[in-house]
Amino acid sequence: MTTDQHSASTATTETHTTSWDDVPVEDREAHIGKFVAMSPSLMSSVRFIRAHMRGYRTSPEGEISFLLGDTRAGKTTAINEVIDQIADETGGQIVSQILDDNRDSEALVSVIVQTPHGIERPIVKIFVPVGPTFNGLLSDVLVAFDIRLPQRATFAERLLALGRQLSGQRTRLVIFDDTQHICEKGKTAAAYEASEVFKVLAKTGRVQVLCAGLEHTREIKDANPQAAWLGGEEHWVRPLEIVATTKAPLAKFCTTLNSELPFDQPSKLNRPEMFVPLGIFCEGYEGRIATLYQLSLIRTHEPRPAGRWT
């Protein structure tokens, strides 16, 4: 296992006060990769996830909630921000485990807290591979909790081991990212089968479950009505309204990018003639705007001999 570097610098719309003139190019690139603008939309998603996590064991069974939005809307960014916050609050370590098998290899990320009584794992994130099965997804969950069982272990034995670890490691929230993969095989039976893992976690471990994915991820509720009856809420990550006023969220978001990303001189992204076309091209989604701007900053603006970027 290796430490997963999720830590990201955050910012409001305040102007960066440090000059980038003497900062080496490699340090600028590192800043680009870690910078996250804490926009109102992102903070709303973070609050939703934290509220869902606080619901741990307030009911006889865990709840299954959904974080929904288009590609690059900021869902995973919000999840990673919550993981960072939990690690900071608990003094824990963010740990990434890599699955090494014949299926799509995906990362398992969790916060590990060392206590006198052993480790606690308050939050876990699991990426859902393409075309998941019940056994495959359940195996991923077992690996995430360092549960090693013989291949011949029965379903009851796996549930017993999982229940013990969920309780012993005091896990409150299990997040499944890219959960839309469950609904993309074109078969309701397949979606029902894989989503049974969520029900197992909510009923067996009484943990909170969050499914993050594209908008059709909510079809899980249609395929498996029991998942819907376990409660939980839906939070939709909506695009920013594309307007030219400098007081609108789009303008404030782009102003933050303009002031915090490491140009020697401002890029004028805070001006309507810049941020409106960019917003239209990215359909108002913050994640797309930030990604496009970060990529252009790295690839388009080559460092000059003196190390300056223009």
Side-chain angles (χ1 to χ4, degrees):
M1 296 188 294
T2 59
T3 301
D4 190 71
Q5 301 298 326
H6 274 291
S7 297
S9 55
T10 58
T12 61
T13 55
E14 296 178 359
T15 302
H16 189 84
T17 56
T18 303
S19 172
W20 295 103
D21 290 357
D22 300 322
V23 178
V25 171
E26 56 271 20
D27 291 344
R28 299 186 188 201
E29 292 182 344
H31 175 78
I32 294 168
K34 294 186 295 183
F35 174 74
V36 176
M38 291 300 292
S39 66
S41 176
L42 178 59
M43 290 189 289
S44 177
S45 296
V46 168
R47 286 194 297 268
F48 169 75
I49 298 170
R50 295 298 301 258
H52 182 52
M53 189 172 181
R54 285 195 299 272
Y56 171 67
R57 297 214 166 181
T58 58
S59 301
E61 298 173 329
E63 298 175 320
I64 303 174
S65 287
F66 292 80
L67 180 64
L68 306 170
D70 210 336
T71 301
R72 293 286 177 180
K75 302 181 297 296
T76 301
T77 301
I79 292 168
N80 290 342
E81 177 61 27
V82 172
I83 291 174
D84 286 338
Q85 291 179 4
I86 298 301
D88 289 341
E89 293 167 10
T90 60
Q93 180 185 24
I94 299 174
V95 173
S96 176
Q97 300 161 299
I98 305 298
L99 290 178
D100 186 15
D101 54 28
N102 293 327
R103 296 177 300 103
D104 293 318
S105 294
E106 299 287 356
L108 305 175
V109 178
S110 57
V111 173
I112 300 293
V113 183
Q114 300 290 344
T115 75
H117 307 290
I119 69 166
E120 293 183 0
R121 201 183 307 258
I123 185 169
V124 177
K125 179 179 72 171
I126 300 172
F127 278 96
V128 178
V130 175
T133 63
F134 174 81
N135 285 327
L137 200 55
L138 182 58
S139 294
D140 290 356
V141 172
L142 296 177
V143 171
F145 288 92
D146 291 328
I147 300 173
R148 311 292 178 178
L149 296 173
Q151 290 186 348
R152 295 183 179 180
T154 65
F155 176 65
E157 289 171 334
R158 288 189 289 172
L159 281 191
L160 181 60
L162 178 60
R164 287 173 175 169
Q165 292 301 317
L166 288 171
S167 177
Q169 297 185 26
R170 298 179 61 83
T171 303
R172 289 175 279 161
L173 177 62
V174 179
I175 301 170
F176 292 89
D177 206 357
D178 276 353
T179 319
Q180 73 275 356
H181 288 154
I182 287 178
C183 307
E184 290 174 350
K185 292 180 69 175
K187 298 179 180 179
T188 302
Y192 176 89
E193 177 186 327
S195 63
E196 278 289 284
V197 174
F198 310 148
K199 191 183 76 173
V200 165
L201 287 166
K203 294 175 73 70
T204 301
R206 295 178 61 193
V207 302
Q208 299 291 86
V209 176
L210 178 68
C211 298
L214 302 180
E215 296 185 1
H216 63 275
T217 299
R218 69 181 314 279
E219 294 174 9
I220 290 171
K221 292 184 176 182
D222 299 326
N224 193 339
Q226 294 182 67
W229 279 103
L230 282 170
E233 299 181 3
E234 295 179 2
H235 180 81
W236 295 72
V237 183
R238 302 295 187 186
L240 299 173
E241 183 182 8
I242 302 172
V243 292
T245 174
T246 56
K247 295 183 178 181
L250 174 62
K252 292 181 178 179
F253 177 68
C254 290
T255 297
T256 298
L257 294 179
N258 186 60
S259 62
E260 292 290 336
L261 291 179
F263 283 121
D264 290 319
Q265 297 179 359
S267 66
K268 301 179 182 179
L269 186 63
N270 58 328
R271 297 185 180 181
E273 61 269 25
M274 291 288 289
F275 67 71
V276 170
L278 182 60
I280 292 173
F281 180 77
C282 296
E283 300 181 292
Y285 286 105
E286 298 169 18
R288 298 180 189 179
I289 295 171
T291 298
L292 185 62
Y293 201 56
Q294 289 166 342
L295 290 175
S296 67
L297 190 56
I298 293 175
R299 299 178 182 178
T300 304
H301 299 84
E302 296 292 335
R304 300 298 184 258
R308 295 179 63 84
W309 291 20
T310 58

